[in-house]
Amino acid sequence: MKLTQDRMDWMRAHEEAFRSLRRDLHENPELGFQELRTSGLVARQLESWGYQVERGIGGTGLVAQMRLGSSPRRLGLRAEMDALPIVELSGLAHASRKSGVMHACGHDGHTTMLLYAAQCIAREKSFDGTLNLIFQPAEEGLAGARRMMEEGLFERYPCDAIFAMHNLPGLAQGQLHLRSGPCMASGDTVTIKLQGRGGHGAMPHLSADPTVAAANVILALQTVVSRNVDPLQAVVVSVGVMKAGHVRNVIPDSAELVLTVRVLDPSIRGMVEQRIIDLVRAQAQSYGVQAEIDYARGYPVLVNDEQATQFAHQVACDLLPADQVVFPCVPTLASEDFAFMLEKVPGCYLFIGNGTGEQGGCSVHNPHYDFNDRNLPVGAAYWVRLVDSFLSPQS
Ligand SMILES: [Zn+2]
Ligand SMILES: [Zn+2]
């Protein structure tokens, strides 16, 4: 990393403390909107370093602000604090002490990287403008980002640009990957109930079998991606839940399917939705069963602003050797609620490689996953450098 000697010395001297903090957060994970211990700890640290902290935005979310100099420029950096309902099986010394709750997405690491940067920035006090550090709750499915926004996040803490970073296992440790435009998919959930008429398995002609209808719905859904979507577009329709029946010789009354639907181009989200609804209704009708469809739109497509991404890329190139920066990287069809913030404020969401193989390659949301602590100084140095550039006293 290209850092001044003074900053390098400070980073090295504090690395162990932040590794301990990250492991402490890992041992004490909290689910979305329940991050009381975590947000309390984060808030106290930031206050002790001189930040103005407002707690309780979006439940357990908080914003820490520091204003220096006279520049009108305002920057937002965001980290998320929640864990997942997973039983940890890593066997690590710092494994979760809370059964059934685990930091399996590395949000413990993201929170720590931003704190590490925050202390360094507060010590140097060399920027000009307003820095807003956003610690959000409930990224995992509960849209904590949206809740903070509904409670006036950007009206109370306006930002000219916002940035966030997520680790990605399978990429070389410490590499930064960025792209502008659509980078992560929308994530919608469709719950389909097929209501038929149950009966004796030996007398199918007297019933309306929802299992046959469900099987055909699943097959018909495969044609949305293959026949309705431009082959150059990325769309996923996956059936994750299929429930019907209990006994071999009974035709059940109803069947249920639950789908995840993802697109990378916001302009075709509506078409995909309509196609799924039409197919399910037509299939149900042809098998004589009723279809009830609940189509719930989840996180939007995450779109990185072109200018903000170019800026974030330049910061990466200033900090790291060329082979440690991948631009443009490939998008992913995972989804992320920072997308709500990017609908309101231009910015960039980037990835940091968590490592490969035994060293950080285990996928997020897996019970064996762990955040790679070697990324703490890399992520922190990146944020510090980004603040230097965005809130530079010369700009
Ligand atoms: Zn996750
Ligand atoms: Zn995550």
Side-chain angles (χ1 to χ4, degrees):
M1 283 194 290
K2 298 167 218 158
L3 295 176
T4 60
Q5 193 58 49
D6 173 62
R7 195 174 277 173
M8 181 78 89
D9 291 346
W10 186 90
M11 284 276 173
R12 285 218 180 102
H14 289 75
E15 188 171 348
E16 186 49 45
F18 281 101
R19 192 188 354 250
S20 301
L21 172 66
R22 203 286 293 180
R23 292 180 179 200
D24 175 80
L25 294 177
H26 193 89
E27 283 179 33
N28 297 282
E30 294 169 302
L31 294 174
F33 294 123
Q34 298 172 32
E35 307 93 334
L36 290 168
R37 179 186 183 275
T38 308
S39 64
L41 190 152
V42 167
R44 281 193 304 279
Q45 294 263 32
L46 290 160
E47 278 165 349
S48 76
W49 300 328
Y51 288 86
Q52 201 79 3
V53 177
E54 183 178 349
R55 305 171 197 225
I57 306 176
T60 40
L62 64 99
V63 177
Q65 189 178 71
M66 186 171 281
R67 302 168 80 153
L68 295 173
S70 56
S71 165
R73 279 165 75 79
R74 304 154 305 185
L75 170 65
L77 303 180
R78 168 276 206 179
E80 67 293 52
M81 301 183 287
D82 59 320
L84 284 154
I86 291 177
V87 177
E88 180 159 359
L89 300 175
S90 70
L92 294 164
H94 60 272
S96 169
R97 291 187 194 162
K98 222 184 259 181
S99 175
V101 186
M102 174 187 177
H103 267 298
C105 205
H107 299 179
D108 48 347
H110 306 159
T111 293
T112 307
M113 289 192 296
L114 192 53
L115 284 176
Y116 198 167
Q119 189 179 5
C120 182
I121 291 161
R123 165 186 169 267
E124 296 184 9
K125 289 200 171 48
S126 56
F127 69 86
D128 186 10
T130 301
L131 175 62
N132 297 311
L133 304 178
I134 302 163
F135 288 85
Q136 78 152 79
E139 189 285 322
E140 298 288 357
L142 298 173
R146 186 174 58 196
R147 172 118 175 245
M148 287 188 85
M149 290 167 67
E150 285 164 358
E151 296 185 16
L153 172 65
F154 292 123
E155 286 74 29
R156 284 146 74 190
Y157 298 94
C159 296
D160 300 313
I162 47 168
F163 298 87
M165 191 188 313
H166 204 291
N167 78 94
L168 209 51
L171 305 180
Q173 181 265 319
Q175 268 188 357
L176 295 177
H177 289 230
L178 316 85
R179 73 177 286 114
S180 63
C183 184
M184 295 182 79
S186 56
D188 298 337
T189 302
V190 194
T191 306
I192 300 164
K193 187 171 181 204
L194 297 165
Q195 184 64 50
R197 197 174 58 256
H200 197 299
M203 300 164 206
H205 59 296
L206 300 178
S207 64
D209 189 345
T211 66
V212 176
N216 282 282
V217 163
I218 292 171
L219 291 176
L221 287 174
Q222 307 311 309
T223 65
V224 177
V225 173
S226 71
R227 302 293 90 176
N228 303 127
V229 172
D230 181 335
L232 296 175
Q233 292 266 15
V235 175
V236 164
V237 178
S238 290
V239 180
V241 177
M242 178 187 185
K243 286 192 241 173
H246 302 283
V247 187
R248 74 181 164 85
N249 60 354
V250 175
I251 292 169
D253 232 26
S254 66
E256 188 182 72
L257 301 173
V258 186
L259 284 49
T260 184
V261 180
R262 287 143 192 270
V263 310
L264 256 190
D265 178 348
S267 74
I268 61 167
R269 196 176 182 189
M271 180 277 283
V272 170
E273 173 174 350
Q274 196 54 53
R275 197 66 202 125
I276 288 171
I277 290 170
D278 290 348
L279 276 175
V280 172
R281 289 226 173 96
Q283 289 293 324
Q285 193 191 17
S286 73
Y287 291 96
V289 304
Q290 299 287 324
E292 257 175 54
I293 307 166
D294 175 34
Y295 203 105
R297 285 200 172 198
Y299 295 173
V301 177
L302 184 144
V303 183
N304 281 333
D305 175 75
E306 185 163 352
Q307 213 187 327
T309 305
Q310 274 174 14
F311 169 78
H313 176 226
Q314 188 55 51
V315 172
C317 294
D318 290 345
L319 181 74
L320 298 174
D323 63 351
Q324 289 297 98
V325 181
V326 177
F327 178 85
C329 67
V330 289
T332 156
L333 289 171
S335 60
E336 158 65 53
D337 81 345
F338 188 62
F340 287 116
M341 293 192 183
L342 288 175
E343 284 187 328
K344 180 102 180 180
V345 181
C348 177
Y349 186 78
L350 63 147
F351 300 106
I352 183 166
N354 199 56
T356 54
E358 297 281 289
Q359 259 71 51
C362 175
S363 157
V364 290
H365 293 211
N366 179 298
H368 298 279
Y369 167 83
D370 193 32
F371 180 84
N372 192 331
D373 283 329
R374 292 174 68 195
N375 274 338
L376 293 174
V378 183
Y382 180 80
W383 288 139
V384 175
R385 187 91 187 202
L386 190 138
V387 171
D388 279 348
S389 304
F390 197 90
L391 299 177
S392 144
Q394 290 84 36
S395 67

